[in-house]
Amino acid sequence: MFLRRHLRVTLLSTRHISSLANSPHRAVVYSSTGNPSQVLSARALPPLPPPSPTHLNLRVLLSPINPADINVIEGVYPSKPSIRPDLGNVFIAGNEGLAEVVDVGDSVNSVVPGDWVVMSKPQAGTWASQLSVGEGDVIKVPQGLSEVQAATMSVNPPTALCMLRDFASLSPGDYIVQNGANSAVGQAVIQISAALSLKTINLVRDRPDISELKSKLSSLGATHVLTYDELAEKSTKTRVKEWTSGRSIKLGLNCVGGRDTTLMTGLLGHDAHLVSYGAMSKSPLSLPTSYFIFKNLTSHGFWMSRWYDSHSKSDREQLLAELADMMIAGKLHAPEHEIVTLRGSDEQVSEQVREAIGKGSAGRHGKKVLLRFAEE
Amino acid sequence: MFLRRHLRVTLLSTRHISSLANSPHRAVVYSSTGNPSQVLSARALPPLPPPSPTHLNLRVLLSPINPADINVIEGVYPSKPSIRPDLGNVFIAGNEGLAEVVDVGDSVNSVVPGDWVVMSKPQAGTWASQLSVGEGDVIKVPQGLSEVQAATMSVNPPTALCMLRDFASLSPGDYIVQNGANSAVGQAVIQISAALSLKTINLVRDRPDISELKSKLSSLGATHVLTYDELAEKSTKTRVKEWTSGRSIKLGLNCVGGRDTTLMTGLLGHDAHLVSYGAMSKSPLSLPTSYFIFKNLTSHGFWMSRWYDSHSKSDREQLLAELADMMIAGKLHAPEHEIVTLRGSDEQVSEQVREAIGKGSAGRHGKKVLLRFAEE
């Protein structure tokens, strides 16, 4: 990685413009939504034409598989990729990704060839070796990050940071509570909270290796970790009061829903905010109305795609710069991950993608799987 | 009423200070929370002493029975009256009420004897013939209102106005949707919306006289009235889209909870606000997490007591002045009501109060019952 990064700097400093012309262009596409193992296939595509004045041609370096990507392919997600009539009416899969700028249109001035960028436009079609995007659809990646850090920095870590910052007014020493604490966002919440001197109560499902998981989350900076069974114990409210010295908890983060979330919300104090960003239990969010009326609870949702859509380019860059600073300072680590290199015939790559998705789904709470198209 | 009001003006203009010394002082009290028919009793109390420098002595003119009053007496409401050690450790019942200022402390300058006031302090103990309160605990009633209008103006109408104004940014012609539309607040929402040129979709329970109820709410200014059964029909979403010409509904008001509220919330557009102020179904508020994440729904609670507590005296006066203007303009009517006059022995008055509460509970969607202590 350091070698590659060094190379990038060298390329940049000599204004060498690398070319995509000799690289194969391949993408993971689908023509109708459905079960990914049935609808996805890898396909060789014609080379990208030179970019229009406002566009960039990118070489994709790494493409994470996120759980929402599967929902998009299944057709059960509200945001969809644009259909590509130029490629025979297919969709290109993939939302998140790290890419290197290879060629820029005449009026582009915010990036130069050699820069690393991530996508702020949702569903840009990152499961491809090359991409053409508008200048406004990317965010330049700050210097000093590894490929994996950069490739996984535009969805989960900023979700965590925005949720910690945009809803409740918190001061160092304040507690927050979250469920699904071992999810990718949950782990980012733990680390960013610690970096901001916030304390966290983290809820996870019980499992055979629970003490191992608790140790892992503690080592990331979790103040307390409880299972949902422990949350349901009568003594928990008292324990939490002792932990917080009676100070009220003003922020709860939810990616689960259902009864466990009702219990978690009961830990919040007056004037608190519950922010939901997922619904892993597939149960609705069910809360006593009295929490809203008498405790002045406010319940919000957070969706990173909407945040990008409603914020300026400089806001986006500022957000990633803050996260990069935490990464460089060693306070925010890349997720545990596995890189799957795609190579061979279209059929072989299709099969490799299906396998990778299987790993990604099974590993919802485990390793992040990232795709890399081999340069052959 | 007009005679009495005329008299008030006369008294005021001559700076005549009426006295409570010769009036009996009686209150509805309880020493422990529980079933109102078992714990409440009327009791003769000693005359009020002259007010301290910051206090007022009031003659109570009318005291509404609101559903929440019963919950307070039952001990299931979060706000409680102060215990009265001076009266043998009892609570005086009653939250809302209209009173006439009779005597003021030396440093009081915002009201003079003869002024009408309503309570901004919750649980002031209005089910009494006389009251001693702090200058900051009352709001002066604007001129020109009837006793019933004034007595019922400090809880339900401002709840309606604040919910319409404090959460979503609405423009004339915009639609809102509410359930429990025949409640006291619901009827105020209909009238105030009409006064503000907002359109309303109103949900009510089906009943034998449904067409009569629909006519009644329409005559108050309701744009559309649907039963919950009609709400559940598949065609309703399409009908609502026709009504709103596809414009998104940004505000939902909820006093019901449960499944019907989930359906109602489905009518809201992106970036909408759901404001809950009651839970008549006693079922929790259960909403798909996707509404929060992808439609950016925000769910709030509203409680008038908190509003008063968190706003200045001039904000409170301004709020009532706006409502008074609507009342005087004939746009906001006093609720249908029945005045119960309390007279006789303590035992007789106790019985009259119990009967009145029975009427009040039965008439949750019917007539508002108000207590008046007879001057004997």
Side-chain angles (χ1 to χ4, degrees):
Chain A
M1 184 277 300
F2 286 107
L3 181 64
R4 176 157 193 98
R5 189 71 188 207
H6 175 70
L7 190 64
R8 181 166 86 95
V9 173
T10 311
L11 288 174
L12 187 61
S13 62
T14 58
R15 291 279 177 206
H16 171 92
I17 298 181
S18 74
S19 162
L20 295 171
N22 298 325
S23 307
H25 180 194
R26 185 179 266 160
V28 179
V29 304
Y30 55 108
S31 53
S32 62
T33 55
N35 183 330
S37 68
Q38 282 157 14
V39 301
L40 287 186
S41 61
R43 185 192 289 187
L45 299 179
L48 291 181
S52 75
T54 59
H55 274 59
L56 323 169
N57 283 355
L58 306 176
R59 180 200 315 283
V60 180
L61 303 177
L62 275 180
S63 314
I65 299 178
N66 286 315
D69 296 331
I70 309 307
N71 301 138
V72 173
I73 297 162
E74 290 168 340
V76 297
Y77 200 73
S79 104
K80 291 186 189 344
S82 309
I83 197 158
R84 296 288 300 270
D86 55 323
L87 304 177
N89 289 326
V90 296
F91 305 101
I92 302 182
N95 176 56
E96 193 176 33
L98 170 68
E100 181 187 352
V101 177
V102 173
D103 204 356
V104 303
D106 287 344
S107 64
V108 169
N109 54 30
S110 60
V111 289
V112 296
D115 282 345
W116 280 5
V117 293
V118 293
M119 311 300 134
S120 60
K121 177 189 172 184
Q123 312 307 333
T126 54
W127 294 5
S129 58
Q130 302 174 16
L131 263 185
S132 162
V133 295
E135 184 182 7
D137 298 334
V138 299
I139 316 169
K140 191 172 159 178
V141 174
Q143 295 283 334
L145 304 180
S146 73
E147 278 190 345
V148 173
Q149 282 177 322
T152 57
M153 82 179 303
S154 68
V155 177
N156 294 328
T159 296
L161 179 54
C162 290
M163 291 194 301
L164 286 169
R165 198 165 57 180
D166 291 356
F167 297 92
S169 169
L170 301 174
S171 309
D174 281 350
Y175 268 84
I176 70 124
V177 59
Q178 69 163 337
N179 59 27
N182 192 35
S183 68
V185 171
Q187 292 189 29
V189 164
I190 290 171
Q191 297 174 81
I192 295 172
S193 294
L196 301 174
S197 303
L198 300 172
K199 294 180 175 175
T200 52
I201 297 171
N202 300 279
L203 305 172
V204 295
R205 283 181 302 177
D206 200 5
R207 61 196 78 195
D209 60 347
I210 183 66
S211 62
E212 211 172 299
L213 174 61
K214 285 189 175 188
S215 302
K216 175 185 147 196
L217 297 184
S218 298
S219 74
L220 289 176
T223 318
H224 301 283
V225 184
L226 292 173
T227 65
Y228 299 114
D229 298 332
E230 289 169 327
L231 171 67
E233 286 168 15
K234 280 195 177 169
S235 60
T236 298
K237 277 212 162 185
T238 314
R239 286 172 74 192
V240 168
K241 272 192 187 154
E242 285 168 12
W243 293 341
T244 60
S245 311
R247 240 162 112 182
S248 134
I249 305 177
K250 300 285 190 206
L251 182 67
L253 306 179
N254 164 44
C255 63
V256 175
R259 176 174 165 276
D260 293 330
T261 305
T262 311
L263 285 176
M264 180 182 83
T265 309
L267 297 181
L268 299 178
H270 279 76
D271 307 320
H273 299 264
L274 177 69
V275 184
S276 297
Y277 64 98
M280 287 198 238
S281 75
K282 299 197 193 293
S283 300
L285 191 55
S286 182
L287 298 168
T289 316
S290 60
Y291 287 180
F292 294 101
I293 303 176
F294 301 124
K295 293 180 77 180
N296 201 25
L297 174 71
T298 310
S299 173
H300 314 259
F302 185 82
W303 190 23
M304 200 62 224
S305 296
R306 185 173 54 244
W307 192 97
Y308 282 132
D309 197 44
S310 60
H311 285 74
S312 69
K313 195 175 177 70
S314 87
D315 285 343
R316 297 171 192 165
E317 285 171 353
Q318 171 60 27
L319 183 68
L320 292 206
E322 263 183 83
L323 293 167
D325 286 346
M326 290 183 197
M327 289 173 176
I328 292 164
K331 294 178 174 175
L332 178 59
H333 304 280
E336 293 178 65
H337 59 272
E338 176 182 345
I339 295 175
V340 171
T341 301
L342 306 174
R343 58 160 52 93
S345 67
D346 283 352
E347 287 66 32
Q348 287 171 315
V349 169
S350 299
E351 184 52 32
Q352 291 157 8
V353 169
R354 282 195 281 272
E355 264 180 43
I357 287 177
K359 287 181 191 173
S361 302
R364 187 166 188 131
H365 304 293
K367 286 185 180 176
K368 175 73 63 188
V369 177
L370 301 104
L371 304 176
R372 183 198 296 281
F373 285 83
E375 295 190 30
E376 291 173 283
Chain B
M1 185 278 298
F2 286 107
L3 182 62
R4 172 158 194 100
R5 190 67 187 210
H6 176 68
L7 190 65
R8 180 166 87 95
V9 173
T10 311
L11 288 174
L12 187 62
S13 62
T14 58
R15 290 281 177 205
H16 171 89
I17 298 179
S18 73
S19 162
L20 295 172
N22 298 324
S23 307
H25 180 194
R26 187 179 263 159
V28 179
V29 304
Y30 55 108
S31 52
S32 62
T33 55
N35 184 328
S37 68
Q38 282 157 14
V39 301
L40 287 186
S41 62
R43 185 192 289 186
L45 299 178
L48 291 181
S52 74
T54 59
H55 274 59
L56 323 168
N57 283 355
L58 307 175
R59 181 198 316 282
V60 180
L61 303 176
L62 275 180
S63 314
I65 298 178
N66 286 315
D69 297 331
I70 310 306
N71 302 137
V72 173
I73 297 163
E74 290 168 340
V76 298
Y77 200 73
S79 103
K80 290 183 192 344
S82 309
I83 198 158
R84 297 288 299 269
D86 56 322
L87 304 177
N89 290 324
V90 296
F91 305 101
I92 302 181
N95 176 56
E96 193 177 32
L98 170 67
E100 181 188 352
V101 177
V102 173
D103 203 355
V104 303
D106 288 344
S107 64
V108 168
N109 54 31
S110 61
V111 289
V112 296
D115 282 347
W116 280 5
V117 294
V118 293
M119 311 301 134
S120 61
K121 177 191 172 183
Q123 313 306 331
T126 55
W127 294 5
S129 58
Q130 304 174 15
L131 261 187
S132 163
V133 294
E135 183 181 8
D137 297 334
V138 298
I139 316 169
K140 192 172 159 178
V141 174
Q143 296 281 335
L145 305 181
S146 74
E147 278 190 344
V148 173
Q149 282 177 324
T152 57
M153 85 181 299
S154 68
V155 177
N156 294 329
T159 295
L161 179 54
C162 289
M163 291 194 302
L164 287 168
R165 198 165 58 180
D166 291 357
F167 297 93
S169 169
L170 301 173
S171 309
D174 281 350
Y175 269 84
I176 69 125
V177 59
Q178 68 162 337
N179 59 27
N182 192 35
S183 68
V185 171
Q187 292 188 29
V189 164
I190 290 171
Q191 297 173 80
I192 296 172
S193 294
L196 300 174
S197 303
L198 300 172
K199 295 181 175 174
T200 52
I201 297 172
N202 299 280
L203 305 172
V204 295
R205 283 180 302 177
D206 201 6
R207 60 197 79 197
D209 61 345
I210 182 67
S211 64
E212 211 172 298
L213 175 61
K214 285 189 175 187
S215 302
K216 174 185 146 195
L217 297 183
S218 298
S219 74
L220 288 177
T223 318
H224 300 283
V225 185
L226 292 174
T227 65
Y228 299 114
D229 298 333
E230 288 170 329
L231 171 67
E233 284 168 16
K234 280 197 176 166
S235 60
T236 298
K237 277 212 163 186
T238 313
R239 286 171 74 193
V240 168
K241 271 193 188 152
E242 285 169 13
W243 293 341
T244 60
S245 310
R247 240 162 113 182
S248 135
I249 304 178
K250 299 284 188 204
L251 182 66
L253 306 179
N254 163 44
C255 63
V256 175
R259 177 174 164 275
D260 293 329
T261 305
T262 310
L263 285 176
M264 179 181 84
T265 309
L267 298 181
L268 299 177
H270 279 76
D271 307 319
H273 298 264
L274 178 69
V275 184
S276 296
Y277 65 99
M280 287 197 237
S281 74
K282 299 196 192 294
S283 300
L285 190 56
S286 183
L287 299 168
T289 316
S290 60
Y291 287 0
F292 294 100
I293 303 177
F294 301 124
K295 293 179 79 181
N296 201 24
L297 174 70
T298 310
S299 172
H300 314 259
F302 185 81
W303 190 23
M304 201 61 224
S305 295
R306 186 174 52 245
W307 193 97
Y308 282 133
D309 197 45
S310 59
H311 285 74
S312 69
K313 194 174 177 72
S314 88
D315 285 344
R316 296 171 193 166
E317 286 171 355
Q318 172 59 29
L319 183 68
L320 292 206
E322 262 183 84
L323 293 166
D325 286 347
M326 291 183 197
M327 289 174 178
I328 291 164
K331 294 177 174 175
L332 178 57
H333 304 280
E336 293 178 66
H337 59 273
E338 176 182 344
I339 294 175
V340 172
T341 301
L342 306 175
R343 59 161 51 95
S345 66
D346 283 352
E347 287 65 33
Q348 286 171 316
V349 169
S350 298
E351 184 52 33
Q352 289 157 11
V353 169
R354 282 194 281 271
E355 263 180 43
I357 287 177
K359 286 181 191 173
S361 302
R364 188 164 188 132
H365 302 296
K367 286 185 181 175
K368 176 72 64 187
V369 177
L370 302 103
L371 304 176
R372 185 198 296 280
F373 286 83
E375 296 190 28
E376 292 174 281

